[in-house]
Amino acid sequence: MDFLDEAIITAKSGDGGSGCISFRREKYIPRGGPDGGDGGCGGDVILRASAGLNSLIAFRFQKQFRAQNGEPGRGKNRTGKDGDSVIIEVPLGTLVYDKDNNELLADLVRDGQEAIVLRGGKGGKGNQHFATPTNRAPRKAQSGFPGQQKTLKLSLKYLADVGLIGLPNTGKSTLLSRLTMARPRIDSYPFTTLVPNLGIMSLGDEMNLTLADIPGLIEGASQGRGLGHAFLKHVERTKLLLHLLDITYRPSRDLLEDFYMLSEELVKYSSSLSRRDRIVLINKIDLSSPEYRDIGEVRRALEDIGIESLAISALTGEGIEEVREAISRKFFNEPESEQ
Ligand SMILES: Nc1nc2c(ncn2[C@@H]2O[C@H](COP(=O)(O)OP(=O)(O)OP(=O)(O)O)[C@@H](O)[C@H]2O)c(=O)[nH]1
Ligand SMILES: [Mg+2]
């Protein structure tokens, strides 16, 4: 599976080059003064967010990064060359922690955003700096300062505007492919989606929203059942959740029960996520039949608890325009809710 959202790497910034001890030697100047240049600075370790990446998979293979050391200073007051920094590209939404103390070092959210997580050591001073009236020929220079080394924990948490959640097989991936250009795998068995998918939904001029489709959740996900709730973190930074209910799913049971069951799993995961703005989408209405619960009734019950719902068919496209409008309203028309 070419997806990974947690990785541990080690990184070291470059050591500074040492300062130089040297004296001027020129024709006709018998005893030249000190001219030892400074050492170059060691390179930094820089993390840079790149919109072209969507997984930390590269770090399964490469786990060690090292910036270049600075070069030593030289005679004639020449400063040593600075070491090259190492730039580590990560997907947008990558959080960088110091693994040893769990301190958050950076949260990279914009394309091209950079964070220097380890600074290179400074170069040592050459003997040109140590001349004094009483010691005009100092045989002394500083050695370079060492770089730093850290074990870093990278944790990817997608930055999506809208998250798609629901039990397995409810049609989340089908809906993502309806609303965006993404073409995730869709199949008639549960747990088709094993890793999150992202898609961009265009709402006219320059108004794009990112949608995240995550693997299906089941009762007990918070205790690790099914694929567990490990992927819920990828919808944690969304503003809106689309919660899919499948009218054909477990027809002997109650659609509302499915709704409450998954809501309960959200509460167990994070209370702030469980309070996130949510629209319920009752999917697969093209298969409506009297054996399934009356959709109108379900919608009224949801309305009673203040939850907006829509009846749709992700397969035929019925109701999809209303979904777009509802999403668009949440993002572009509604005044900010005071949460
Ligand atoms: N009849 C009908 N079938 C649908 C509809 N939406 C999705 N399906 C079918 O339901 C099955 C599951 O769809 P997916 O989109 O893979 O569902 P999912 O929620 O992403 O499933 P997981 O990734 O396994 O959690 C597929 O066979 C789809 O073709 C719909 O509106 N009507
Ligand atoms: Mg899916």
Side-chain angles (χ1 to χ4, degrees):
M1 197 64 48
D2 53 356
F3 179 81
L4 189 68
D5 56 11
E6 298 279 331
I8 307 278
I9 61 172
T10 57
K12 184 179 178 308
S13 56
D15 300 333
S18 48
C20 169
I21 298 174
S22 160
F23 297 94
R24 258 195 312 269
R25 275 173 218 282
E26 281 173 57
K27 266 186 184 169
Y28 316 118
I29 305 178
R31 290 201 299 156
D35 70 351
D38 301 343
C41 293
D44 300 327
V45 174
I46 299 172
L47 271 81
R48 180 195 287 159
S50 162
L53 299 172
N54 54 19
S55 155
L56 298 174
I57 191 73
F59 303 105
R60 182 165 291 167
F61 311 106
Q62 191 180 359
K63 296 178 192 291
Q64 270 161 16
F65 295 86
R66 219 198 135 101
Q68 240 180 5
N69 294 336
E71 287 183 5
R74 288 178 297 157
K76 298 188 181 160
N77 296 329
R78 283 173 300 180
T79 303
K81 198 167 156 287
D82 290 341
D84 287 338
S85 294
V86 61
I87 296 177
I88 306 173
E89 293 216 315
V90 295
L92 302 190
T94 300
L95 299 145
V96 186
Y97 296 91
D98 181 333
K99 183 167 176 291
D100 294 333
N101 58 14
N102 253 343
E103 185 193 347
L104 179 65
L105 304 175
D107 182 6
L108 296 162
V109 298
R110 285 188 322 278
D111 191 24
Q113 186 184 346
E114 292 188 345
I116 299 177
V117 292
L118 293 170
R119 291 211 178 259
K122 280 211 162 37
K125 289 193 161 89
N127 70 339
Q128 53 169 324
H129 297 281
F130 296 101
T132 61
T134 52
N135 182 5
R136 285 190 284 176
R139 306 204 57 83
K140 172 181 166 191
Q142 241 177 359
S143 44
F145 293 84
Q148 306 162 278
Q149 181 160 342
K150 270 191 181 145
T151 304
L152 302 173
K153 187 176 98 184
L154 308 180
S155 174
L156 174 60
K157 231 186 214 195
Y158 276 155
L159 294 161
D161 302 296
V162 181
L164 272 57
I165 56 167
L167 297 174
N169 217 39
T170 47
K172 299 177 295 297
S173 300
T174 309
L175 181 66
L176 184 76
S177 70
R178 269 270 163 211
L179 294 173
T180 74
M181 300 285 282
R183 291 294 169 262
R185 258 190 73 193
I186 293 170
D187 220 319
S188 56
Y189 54 85
F191 301 115
T192 305
T193 302
L194 297 172
V195 300
N197 298 302
L198 288 179
I200 310 284
M201 177 170 132
S202 161
L203 289 167
D205 307 340
E206 314 226 337
M207 293 202 286
N208 289 333
L209 294 175
T210 305
L211 274 60
D213 163 34
I214 59 169
L217 295 158
I218 59 173
E219 183 164 19
S222 52
Q223 282 100 56
R225 285 193 59 209
L227 293 175
H229 62 203
F231 294 107
L232 269 173
K233 70 172 182 173
H234 294 294
V235 296
E236 238 180 303
R237 305 211 233 187
T238 58
K239 183 176 177 225
L240 173 69
L241 294 177
L242 300 179
H243 181 163
L244 273 79
L245 297 176
D246 176 346
I247 59 162
T248 69
Y249 198 76
R250 296 197 298 185
S252 57
R253 307 259 310 258
D254 192 329
L255 211 51
L256 278 173
E257 211 170 291
D258 288 348
F259 168 79
Y260 281 116
M261 189 274 283
L262 201 134
S263 300
E264 193 55 36
E265 292 300 327
L266 286 187
V267 173
K268 286 180 186 151
Y269 176 77
S270 132
S271 62
S272 85
L273 189 61
S274 71
R275 290 193 306 270
R276 192 69 33 88
D277 217 347
R278 200 169 358 161
I279 302 176
V280 167
L281 303 178
I282 301 170
N283 190 28
K284 307 197 187 178
I285 54 167
D286 55 297
L287 299 175
S288 296
S289 93
E291 67 180 296
Y292 302 133
R293 177 145 175 187
D294 175 31
I295 294 167
E297 197 185 315
V298 173
R299 294 190 62 190
R300 279 190 295 281
L302 289 168
E303 199 186 331
D304 286 345
I305 55 166
I307 295 209
E308 179 179 352
S309 67
L310 292 166
I312 67 163
S313 168
L315 192 70
T316 66
E318 192 178 346
I320 296 299
E321 220 22 67
E322 286 81 352
V323 175
R324 281 180 182 280
E325 281 162 21
I327 296 174
S328 165
R329 230 181 304 120
K330 293 279 182 199
F331 281 84
F332 301 112
N333 299 342
E334 266 188 3
E336 284 289 313
S337 60
E338 64 279 17
Q339 265 190 44

